[in-house]
Amino acid sequence: MYKKSDIGYLAGVFDIHGSIKIIADKDDLPKSSLYVWITSKDAKLMKFLELFEAVIGPVSGGQFRAKWKDNKACYLLKNMLPQLIIKKEQAEVGMEFYTNKTNNINPATYVMPLVTRLKLLKKDDLGE
């Protein structure tokens, strides 16, 4: 279990620098996955994110990405949820996706609708 203050800080960072994505494999919907990541140039932040079992890797422009997939992503979202403001609804969609996936719900009934819902929430957050 993580310290509440660490979760609060993580949620704030995630609201600003984080992203939630459902990557749908349209040819094989059961292989679709939930991803959560935080992208930043700050090496100290990446070191902090390792406390949460992030997989850290370089991306373009001298930035790094901390990434979580499926179970770890859902667990992280669940822990951050009470502290999230900007991405709270997106986190709920991500958690719903993973819950459906682990409960062996037919992927044809939830994957694409949740992908669409997540995209719409992201547009709303950008004010489009």
Side-chain angles (χ1 to χ4, degrees):
M1 192 66 186
Y2 307 115
K3 291 192 297 188
K4 190 171 183 169
S5 60
D6 288 345
I7 291 291
Y9 179 76
L10 176 63
V13 168
F14 184 76
D15 261 344
I16 302 302
H17 299 287
S19 187
I20 300 167
K21 187 154 186 147
I22 299 168
I23 298 181
D25 185 334
K26 293 177 184 171
D27 296 325
D28 192 0
L29 286 177
K31 288 188 178 178
S32 300
S33 292
L34 171 66
Y35 289 90
V36 169
W37 61 68
I38 295 173
T39 306
S40 174
K41 290 183 178 182
D42 192 318
K44 287 182 183 179
L45 174 60
M46 293 297 126
K47 185 78 172 156
F48 171 76
L49 296 175
E50 286 179 334
L51 296 173
F52 298 93
E53 301 179 45
V55 175
I56 311 289
V59 291
S60 65
Q63 296 192 97
F64 296 92
R65 178 166 290 154
K67 186 165 52 172
W68 299 264
K69 181 181 177 185
D70 285 335
N71 186 48
K72 288 184 180 183
C74 188
Y75 182 77
L76 193 70
L77 293 174
K78 182 179 177 183
N79 278 279
M80 289 189 301
L81 191 67
Q83 305 293 325
L84 291 174
I85 297 170
I86 298 168
K87 293 190 171 82
K88 188 173 201 131
E89 289 177 282
Q90 291 180 36
E92 291 168 341
V93 171
M95 290 169 30
E96 182 180 345
F97 166 84
Y98 192 70
T99 299
N100 287 338
K101 181 177 178 172
T102 57
N103 287 330
N104 294 317
I105 307 295
N106 179 358
T109 65
Y110 71 88
V111 173
M112 295 317 293
L114 290 176
V115 166
T116 302
R117 196 161 127 212
L118 186 59
K119 286 180 182 179
L120 290 171
L121 286 170
K122 287 179 179 187
K123 283 187 107 165
D124 283 349
D125 288 348
L126 295 173
E128 295 179 5

